Amino acid sequence: MTSTASSTSARRASEPSAGLAVLATGLRKRYGTRQALAGVDLHVDRGELVALLGPNGSGKTTTIEILEGFRTPDSGTVRVLGEDPATAGRRWRSRLGVVGQDSDDRAEVTVSEAVRDTARCYPDPVDPDGVIDAVGLRQQADVRVRRLSGGQRRRLDVARGIVGRPELLFFDEPTTGWDLRARHDFRDLCRRLRAAGTTILLTTHDLHEAAALADRVVVMLGGRVLAEGTPDTLGGQDARTPVVGWTVDGVEHGRRTPAPTALVSRLAAAVGHGGEIPDLCVTRPGLEDVYLALVGPEDVR
């Protein structure tokens, strides 16, 4: 874990959990000989949208399932909305919304029936018709689930996840199979939910989605939290240092520098009056660049 991540976790562990939607400390989980979690510390403030990032097998889904109460850790402590998910009751669960990786295949019911059936499980649901509109399924409201495309089924999953008016919403790769328009609509929906006070924990491989939505990102690797921070500060100041690239005699060059304009001026002077710097480019590393530097490109799935 980076020093930023470790210091933040240590501070949160010593604070009361009243202002936290999620507080997990030292989570460990093993499946046979494979250690899925190796001491995960995680916190999510109420009203915050946190994106959980990491390659396949990094421990994201196991962490989420423990927080949802569907798995129990081998060791560590968990509090979600102030309760231990392993022992919390039905009232606690009614405060959650869950959109897992796999769709609930209720093939013969219609979209409207599926959303209304889910709404009946909650004490204060949102109007099902409004939710169907919000996820863009109005034209499919009377269509049986088996006739939906994969992307439409994911929209239905989201509808069923939010219809209960959850305080805390778990999105586990919700936009798989969605086109660009649907992803844009999903981002708008998340912003509206957050503005209404919903806390959201999102796992995604879409780094553009994480950068656009998240108040904070948490990167996992090998069952541990590797780094955390806002999308603009993850990895620390050095990771965001601009890179100047150019070519000389067919050889590509690149240099990291906090003063790219000064470097370009020196290169221009070396070329001479009126000369061009071949293949000149100045790039400022974004979330994707920092993520790849942290986990390694071979680990991206």
Side-chain angles (χ1 to χ4, degrees), residues 88-116:
R90 182 173 179 178
R91 183 176 179 182
W92 171 84
R93 187 158 295 283
S94 73
R95 300 164 67 192
L96 305 182
V98 176
V99 179
Q101 288 188 13
D102 299 321
S103 296
D104 181 9
D105 193 5
R106 306 175 68 195
E108 296 305 321
V109 301
T110 67
V111 167
S112 180
E113 289 168 343
V115 177
R116 291 180 185 280

Side-chain angles (χ1 to χ4, degrees), residues 175-197:
T175 57
T176 300
W178 287 19
D179 58 25
L180 183 61
R181 177 74 256 176
R183 289 174 183 270
H184 184 272
D185 292 344
F186 173 75
R187 293 175 189 179
D188 285 344
L189 174 64
C190 284
R191 293 184 183 107
R192 293 197 301 272
L193 290 167
R194 182 175 53 183

